[in-house]
Amino acid sequence: MIIAVSATEADYNSAGVDPRFGRCAYFITYNTETDEWNSISNSAREAMGGAAIQAVDLLKKKGVDIIITGNLGPNATSALKAAGIEIIPGVTGKVKDAVESHKK
Amino acid sequence: MKVAVASGKGGTGKTLISTALALSIDYVRFLDLDVEEPNADIFLKPEIRERIPYALPVPNINLNRCTYCGECAKACEFGAIFVGPKSISVFEKLCHGCASCKLACPENAITEKPYEIGEISIGKKGTIEYIQGFLKLTEALATPIIRHMKREYGNVSGNLIIDAPPGTSCPFVQSISDTDFVILVTEPTPFGLSDLKIAVNVARDMKLNFGVIINRSDIGSPKIKKEIKENGIPILMEIPFDRRIAEGYSKGIPLIETLPDYRECMKSLWNEIGGRL
């Protein structure tokens, strides 16, 4: 299972949870099977419009199962649902802690 | 002659000026293109005789043909389509109606359907023909309706006055394009000047004739007037602050009724603009 977190920076050790979903700086992913961390620069951040939807597309391509983030709009929510990605919203603090507490 | 009244910064007096101009000259078509908040009708008081819904063509997906290949989403510049493993969602509010998705679809699964985003009202008051664009609440795309109104109602041989939306982005550009002259209304505040400079750059880029009206010209910073002059921006008129103008405006009373002297000022402004062309 792959957990993604919207993150303020690329380094999973120091990154905080970015409160924005579609226009967050990075997505940090954690693979629960391989214990692997990865970071993806959010290319959708610079989108003129529909950033959230392009961000969901990015997550879908990376095979993400769960997204941990701060705030989501209605477009992001329905796109994530369509992609079958589980949403854990309203999370603040460090990316690492957020992943640890949602691992199980 | 086609004249747009625009500003950059909001609340500087576009509608105050555009309605005063319209009421001072005879036989004019007035386009209210401030579609997110059209309000010139409050001052012109037209009788509306026709309301036409305005819709954008948005994709209609034939699910019997769709293979969820995602080509449409890839073609969309605006992220308006999301393709899941076994589902497809269209976000109408993001769609610009460009039909790229339809062209990109290898299965011919996309047709277009109308999606109503606004309304155009047509009315008359005396010799003023009033046409208002209105963008529905929660809709984000002002430019398509403005573009449509310019095409449909903007080509007149007589006089045309456009009340443009604030800002200096696409709706502003679309509103002032193909006009003979742009009146930029500003005020002597740092924000007024900052936005004016952007608006002036846009107008210069678009190779449009323009001039500035300074509203509430006697309050705020006198430095700003100096800077306007130094930038080679022609000042067409200065309107000193007068509480009666604000009081009248708040009650829907046009400038030329509150202070009738402005009728002649507006007439000569119109003639002066004509002379500049």
Side-chain angles (χ1 to χ4, degrees):
Chain A
M1 187 177 67
I2 297 175
I3 303 172
V5 189
S6 60
T8 54
E9 54 179 295
D11 185 351
Y12 72 90
N13 279 309
S14 51
V17 178
D18 196 321
R20 298 163 305 171
F21 170 71
R23 293 187 190 276
C24 67
Y26 292 90
F27 286 111
I28 289 179
T29 58
Y30 173 74
N31 189 324
T32 53
E33 277 116 62
T34 61
D35 198 31
E36 247 181 310
W37 293 86
N38 256 311
S39 80
I40 322 157
S41 175
N42 180 15
S43 51
R45 187 170 58 166
E46 306 292 336
M48 291 262 287
I53 288 146
Q54 291 171 41
V56 176
D57 202 49
L58 187 67
L59 298 182
K60 185 188 78 176
K61 285 188 182 122
K62 299 286 174 186
V64 169
D65 301 287
I66 299 176
I67 174 76
I68 298 174
T69 187
N71 302 310
L72 290 130
N75 289 342
T77 308
S78 43
L80 284 165
K81 276 185 186 154
I85 297 173
E86 190 189 329
I87 308 164
I88 301 172
V91 177
T92 54
K94 289 281 170 211
V95 166
K96 233 181 159 179
D97 301 336
V99 170
E100 284 301 329
S101 60
H102 290 94
K103 252 183 187 174
K104 298 127 228 157
Chain B
M1 186 165 71
K2 297 176 190 171
V3 174
V5 183
S7 69
K9 183 184 176 297
T12 54
K14 284 180 298 298
T15 305
L16 180 85
I17 304 290
S18 61
T19 54
L21 260 179
L23 291 163
S24 304
I25 59 172
D26 286 329
Y27 300 99
V28 61
R29 177 178 279 185
F30 190 102
L31 288 189
D32 197 345
L33 297 185
D34 187 2
V35 299
E36 286 180 81
E37 211 167 12
N39 62 346
D41 55 326
I42 296 172
F43 305 93
L44 299 175
K45 302 177 178 65
E47 199 179 311
I48 301 295
R49 57 173 166 83
E50 201 180 352
R51 291 181 197 276
I52 308 159
Y54 176 72
L56 271 183
V58 301
N60 187 27
I61 319 279
N62 181 345
L63 292 176
N64 293 325
R65 282 173 170 254
C66 180
T67 59
Y68 310 104
C69 69
E71 286 301 318
C72 52
K74 231 187 274 171
C76 182
E77 279 285 313
F78 309 102
I81 303 178
F82 181 79
V83 182
K86 271 283 163 235
S87 69
I88 178 163
S89 328
V90 175
F91 297 87
E92 279 99 352
K93 286 190 194 309
L94 300 174
C95 176
H96 286 224
C98 73
S100 297
C101 54
K102 186 180 154 188
L103 297 172
C105 178
E107 309 295 333
N108 282 323
I110 301 179
T111 52
E112 289 177 317
K113 62 179 177 189
Y115 173 71
E116 207 178 305
I117 62 164
E119 189 181 73
I120 294 158
S121 305
I122 303 174
K124 214 165 176 155
K125 172 71 186 229
T127 60
I128 300 172
E129 200 184 352
Y130 177 74
I131 305 170
Q132 178 193 78
F134 175 76
L135 186 70
K136 278 189 183 175
L137 209 66
T138 75
E139 292 301 334
L141 293 179
T143 313
I145 188 164
I146 293 171
R147 189 190 304 122
H148 170 78
M149 286 180 69
K150 290 286 292 276
R151 273 188 201 149
E152 205 66 19
Y153 309 104
N155 295 314
V156 284
S157 49
N159 292 331
L160 182 80
I161 293 176
I162 289 170
D163 194 12
T168 46
S169 61
C170 300
F172 164 79
V173 171
Q174 191 68 55
S175 299
I176 65 170
S177 68
D178 301 319
T179 56
D180 300 311
F181 196 90
V182 184
I183 298 174
L184 295 169
V185 187
T186 191
E187 59 180 26
T189 63
F191 291 117
L193 180 69
S194 170
D195 285 3
L196 176 70
K197 282 183 183 165
I198 304 171
V200 163
N201 284 338
V202 175
R204 280 183 175 150
D205 261 9
M206 293 173 74
K207 303 198 171 22
L208 293 168
N209 300 301
F210 65 91
V212 170
I213 291 182
I214 308 177
N215 191 16
R216 302 183 280 266
S217 56
D218 53 339
I219 54 175
S221 166
K223 264 191 278 177
I224 280 156
K225 195 167 137 190
K226 203 175 134 234
E227 203 164 328
I228 290 172
K229 280 184 178 160
E230 281 169 4
N231 277 287
I233 303 166
I235 298 174
L236 304 166
M237 189 190 277
E238 292 180 43
I239 301 177
F241 176 75
D242 190 322
R243 197 182 158 89
R244 288 172 296 175
I245 299 176
E247 279 173 7
Y249 196 82
S250 73
K251 291 175 193 146
I253 302 167
L255 174 65
I256 60 153
E257 274 176 40
T258 309
L259 300 174
D261 286 353
Y262 274 103
R263 185 184 288 269
E264 277 311 309
C265 295
M266 290 297 159
K267 268 188 190 167
S268 30
L269 172 67
W270 188 262
N271 293 333
E272 194 202 321
I273 290 171
R276 278 172 181 264
L277 299 175

